[in-house]
Amino acid sequence: MERVSTESDIREFLASRRAKITPQQAGLPAYGGNRRVPGLRREEVALLAGVSIDYYVRLERGHLAGASEGVLDSVANALQLDDAERAHLYDLARAAAKRPARRTRRARGPLPDSVLRVLDAMTDSPAFIRNGRLDILAVNRLGRALYSPLYSPRYAGKEQRIHGAKGEHTVNIARFQFLDPAGSDFFPDWEESVNTTVSLLRTEAGRAPGDSELTALIGELVTRSEEFRTAWAKHNVRLHHTGRKAFRHPAVGELTLDFDAMQLPAQPGLTLTAYSAAPHTPAHDALKLLAAWAATEEASTPAEEGSATAEDGSATAEDASAAAGDGPATAMDTA
């Protein structure tokens, strides 16, 4: 089943990339009037890549296992793949050949206290640490306030809180977005948000084809969400380093924030995402209002130890869960 799935992913990915490029974009003459395919034909890709038609057809059928780096580069150039798509093609080739993924080691065990202190020190920026499945593993106070719908007892039902490896709850952004009724309201730029979330999961699926928890999450979302299923079929991937993201917060209204996502070299597979706003802008004012709201909510709940620490002091990097807790004062609830 794994082999069939990998071959299917390769076939659909290459076919979808081929369909996006016109002969004009590829620098080829367009002969004739009607074309039966929306983009390049297989023989045109083969010509551009410098391989035989029969060989390219074999590649597009999913047989990437024996392809050399030179061939993969040629195909990527012919299809005008961006950096994320090129990396995904290599990941699919590794999966087909059953070679180790680029990230052979993934973070396990507790998140270091030094990392949690960094989160705590970011008092003016909402920030959190996630894994490739979009599980929130650690979050600072302002980040907890920004993502409060995911933690609120009103919304944090079984749709987006599942039991992790040790039996604790995990907050997952994708599960909340697609399966919780509050998801579409919290992300007002819905189409862009959907494309981003699905592209990130598709990218992670290429990097970690053996991740059973990721496979289960994708299976659940494909089964239960038509919007996810439609976006998943597009085979889009992306690198998510910087940009802007819109929110519709239940307490402070709509705000659009800049974000920067940074991988943690000492914690393979984990990403720290921080939001910010330029001074003297409506978004900056909204962040101030969010901080005031968080302080009010915190004052109304029992004091808890630590900001970005686990409830039990054992925040884990891969299996950590972000349980709802008693209020925004808890910045990290884990496995």
Side-chain angles (χ1 to χ4, degrees), residues 162-184:
I162 61 173
H163 286 290
K166 297 182 180 181
E168 299 86 353
H169 289 299
T170 297
V171 173
N172 181 273
I173 296 173
R175 184 173 284 106
F176 169 80
Q177 181 173 359
F178 288 100
L179 302 184
D180 195 301
S184 59

Side-chain angles (χ1 to χ4, degrees), residues 65 95 125 150 198 269 292:
S125 298
L150 279 73
V198 176

Side-chain angles (χ1 to χ4, degrees), residues 147-333:
Y147 280 89
S148 60
L150 279 73
Y151 296 94
S152 169
R154 175 182 174 185
Y155 301 128
K158 64 180 181 180
E159 301 294 2
Q160 50 94 2
R161 294 177 63 202
I162 61 173
H163 286 290
K166 297 182 180 181
E168 299 86 353
H169 289 299
T170 297
V171 173
N172 181 273
I173 296 173
R175 184 173 284 106
F176 169 80
Q177 181 173 359
F178 288 100
L179 302 184
D180 195 301
S184 59
D185 187 61
F186 185 59
F187 299 107
D189 192 353
W190 182 246
E191 183 176 355
E192 174 63 21
S193 182
V194 165
N195 290 335
T196 296
T197 298
V198 176
S199 295
L200 288 175
L201 289 178
R202 174 66 78 176
T203 302
E204 183 67 11
R207 283 195 294 249
D211 187 334
S212 59
E213 291 182 64
L214 175 63
T215 300
L217 171 65
I218 293 170
E220 178 186 7
L221 295 176
V222 166
T223 302
R224 301 182 60 189
S225 170
E226 182 177 354
E227 288 178 290
F228 182 90
R229 184 164 57 250
T230 299
W232 184 254
K234 296 178 181 178
H235 286 263
N236 290 333
V237 293
R238 72 169 60 189
L239 300 176
H240 203 57
H241 296 317
T242 187
R244 308 193 79 196
K245 191 171 185 65
F247 301 91
R248 184 180 293 114
H249 193 274
V252 303
E254 291 196 19
L255 66 164
T256 300
L257 302 173
D258 300 320
F259 72 83
D260 290 278
M262 298 150 278
Q263 294 184 354
L264 301 178
Q267 300 292 314
L270 302 189
T271 300
L272 188 155
T273 299
Y275 294 100
S276 63
H280 313 299
T281 62
H284 189 258
D285 293 339
L287 278 183
K288 289 184 177 180
L289 182 60
L290 181 67
W293 176 80
T296 301
E297 291 292 298
E298 182 177 338
S300 65
T301 58
E304 298 184 27
E305 295 182 3
S307 294
T309 58
E311 285 186 340
D312 60 0
S314 59
T316 62
E318 184 64 16
D319 299 319
S321 67
D326 293 326
T330 303
M332 173 63 198
D333 305 278

